[in-house]
């Protein structure tokens, strides 16, 4: 039987890597995309001939029911969200509608159309927020520090609720920060790698950033989508922290990125209070031992390798060359 997967958020960083992974495994892949007057498919441009697209929106439950009825997927990966933490402070209600209630609409559509569909929910380390323990595990209490984090907590618990109430094979990946050359320019890691490339090529002289002391557990998105797939292959659903177990500061990311092009980061980085969050998350670092034990998953790309991969890709982008993304 041909396996078919429906991916929401297929045009995002994770969606594009997941689509590649599933296609390589022989899946038929359907991407749920919102109607838009502008194209937003640069991350999946190389896949458009191999993926089927269906118009729908997490705000419109009927469109979700229709997508499931027409395409009859065996697996659904919910990666769509308003996913930028900073923007969630400015658009808290929109963030709740998509990132929180959107999960309920999709789970309920699965319950109504085909409860045998296996479901993956993209949970987030931002749920831990003001962390209650270090490192964070699957049982660490949540204390989100942004509307995005709060919405993700709702999405996480409604997934647990549907699993327990209706017997759905519904799993959550509590993913810590994961980056790649396909990361959006609004995210600090890509802002740094792209800024370094512009400075190295003489197109800029400074890079303005917020809190350099924030500590994150950064991994490679290409590794993390493999963990998503592995969750849906398990006999029993569950929730898994996906992380590297290492923590690095934004300052360290700057150091590694500028070192790649032979520059001193301190000569170019300017701290700008405008980029501080109203409520900051100071330290995130995960314990991925359950994923290693049950999913046989471990990260393959280290911190420095990840930073250098992103800088190299942005150098090629800024120079007008096509980099391997």
């Amino acid at each position: 039987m041909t396996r078919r997967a429906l991916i929401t958020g297929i045009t995002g960083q994770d969606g594009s890597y997941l689509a590649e992974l599933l296609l390589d495994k022989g899946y038929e892949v359907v991407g749920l995309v919102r109607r838009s007057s502008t194209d937003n498919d640069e991350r999946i441009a190389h896949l458009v001939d191999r993926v089927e697209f269906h118009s729908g929106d997490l705000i419109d439950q009927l469109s979700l029911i229709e997508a499931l009825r027409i395409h009859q997927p065996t697996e659904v990966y919910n990666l769509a969200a308003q996913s930028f933490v900073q923007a969630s402070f400015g658009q808290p209600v929109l963030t709740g509608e998509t990132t929180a209630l959107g999960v309920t609409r999709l789970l309920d559509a699965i319950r109504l159309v085909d409860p045998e569909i296996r479901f993956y929910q993209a949970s987030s380390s931002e749920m831990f927020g003001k962390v209650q323990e270090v490192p964070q595990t699957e049982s660490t209490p949540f204390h989100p520090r942004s509307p995005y984090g709060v919405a993700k907590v709702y999405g996480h618990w409604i997934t647990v609720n549907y699993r327990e109430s209706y017997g759905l094979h519904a799993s959550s990946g509590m993913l810590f920060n994961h980056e790649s050359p396909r990361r959006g320019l609004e995210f600090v890691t890509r802002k740094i790698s792209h800024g370094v490339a512009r400075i190295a090529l003489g197109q800029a002289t400074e890079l303005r950033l917020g809190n350099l002391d924030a500590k994150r557990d950064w991994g490679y998105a290409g590794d993390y989508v493999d963990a998503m797939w592995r969750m849906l292959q398990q006999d029993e659903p569950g929730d898994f922290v996906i992380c590297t177990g290492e923590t690095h500061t934004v300052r360290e990311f700057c150091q590694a990125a500028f070192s790649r092009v032979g520059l001193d980061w301190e000569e170019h980085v300017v701290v700008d209070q405008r980029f501080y969050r109203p409520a900051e998350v100071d330290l995130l670092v995960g314990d991925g031992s359950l994923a290693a034990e049950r999913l046989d998953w471990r990260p393959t790309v280290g911190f420095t390798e990840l930073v250098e991969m992103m800088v190299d890709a942005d150098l090629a982008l800024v120079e007008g060359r096509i980099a391997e993304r």
Side-chain angles (χ1 to χ4, degrees):
M1 184 180 105
T2 300
R3 292 191 289 181
R4 185 178 296 117
L6 175 73
I7 303 173
T8 74
I10 194 170
T11 59
Q13 169 188 257
D14 293 6
S16 66
Y17 281 112
L18 179 62
E20 286 175 351
L21 177 84
L22 295 177
L23 288 168
D24 288 345
K25 292 182 180 295
Y27 280 71
E28 292 178 0
V29 175
V30 180
L32 188 79
V33 291
R34 288 179 295 176
R35 290 197 185 277
S36 172
S37 58
T38 57
D39 287 334
N40 182 35
D41 61 0
E42 66 270 12
R43 294 186 183 93
I44 54 167
H46 60 300
L47 301 176
V48 291
D49 294 334
R50 302 173 62 196
V51 172
E52 189 170 355
F53 295 97
H54 186 98
S55 292
D57 198 306
L58 291 180
I59 290 177
D60 181 12
Q61 185 161 6
L62 281 178
S63 70
L64 304 178
I65 291 171
E66 183 183 51
L68 296 178
R69 282 181 174 161
I70 290 174
H71 299 286
Q72 301 179 358
T74 51
E75 299 172 2
V76 170
Y77 295 85
N78 183 37
L79 311 185
Q82 190 301 100
S83 61
F84 187 39
V85 174
Q86 191 75 29
S88 75
F89 286 100
Q91 296 179 306
V93 176
L94 175 66
T95 300
E97 280 288 352
T98 55
T99 309
L101 290 177
V103 187
T104 312
R105 296 186 188 102
L106 189 49
L107 282 165
D108 218 41
I110 290 170
R111 180 181 69 84
L112 291 167
V113 175
D114 180 5
E116 295 302 308
I117 293 171
R118 297 191 171 199
F119 176 77
Y120 172 82
Q121 166 59 13
S123 288
S124 168
S125 60
E126 288 287 332
M127 301 188 304
F128 297 119
K130 188 176 181 180
V131 299
Q132 307 298 296
E133 61 183 11
V134 178
Q136 292 88 58
T137 71
E138 290 77 10
S139 59
T140 299
F142 300 138
H143 189 143
R145 299 273 280 172
S146 66
Y148 170 77
V150 172
K152 279 294 186 183
V153 169
Y154 178 97
H156 180 85
W157 281 118
I158 201 68
T159 300
V160 172
N161 183 259
Y162 270 66
R163 180 169 73 216
E164 295 177 351
S165 299
Y166 304 112
L168 299 187
H169 193 296
S171 295
S172 285
M174 302 153 84
L175 271 57
F176 280 66
N177 296 63
H178 46 290
E179 318 299 317
S180 76
R182 300 179 192 175
R183 193 54 139 154
L185 285 166
E186 69 271 23
F187 291 87
V188 67
T189 50
R190 183 73 194 291
K191 184 178 178 181
I192 293 169
S193 64
H194 192 260
V196 165
R198 294 189 69 235
I199 290 169
L201 296 170
Q203 296 186 14
T205 58
E206 68 175 28
L207 176 60
R208 304 184 80 86
L209 299 170
N211 182 11
L212 300 183
D213 295 317
K215 296 178 180 178
R216 294 291 183 273
D217 183 328
W218 277 303
Y220 172 52
D223 283 342
Y224 285 37
V225 298
D226 177 54
M228 301 176 187
W229 174 78
R230 287 172 186 250
M231 287 178 213
L232 298 201
Q233 311 318 305
Q234 302 302 304
D235 291 337
E236 298 295 328
D239 306 320
F240 296 90
V241 164
I242 304 300
C243 62
T244 69
E246 293 182 9
T247 187
H248 297 275
T249 62
V250 174
R251 181 179 286 102
E252 287 177 78
F253 201 103
C254 287
Q255 289 170 334
F258 277 95
S259 293
R260 183 63 170 173
V261 295
L263 295 174
D264 181 352
W265 72 276
E266 292 184 277
E267 294 180 5
H268 301 282
V269 172
V270 178
V271 175
D272 190 329
Q273 295 293 327
R274 289 180 304 157
F275 297 115
Y276 276 71
R277 297 178 184 174
E280 185 58 79
V281 175
D282 297 315
L283 169 64
L284 290 174
V285 58
D287 175 353
S289 53
L290 184 67
E293 176 189 334
R294 284 198 31 202
L295 306 179
D296 193 27
W297 180 89
R298 292 164 187 82
T300 68
V301 176
F303 175 72
T304 302
E305 184 183 354
L306 173 64
V307 177
E308 293 179 350
M309 173 201 306
M310 294 178 67
V311 171
D312 291 350
D314 274 325
L315 282 168
L317 180 69
V318 175
E319 281 187 322
R321 296 182 284 117
I322 300 299
E324 182 62 44
R325 289 157 59 88

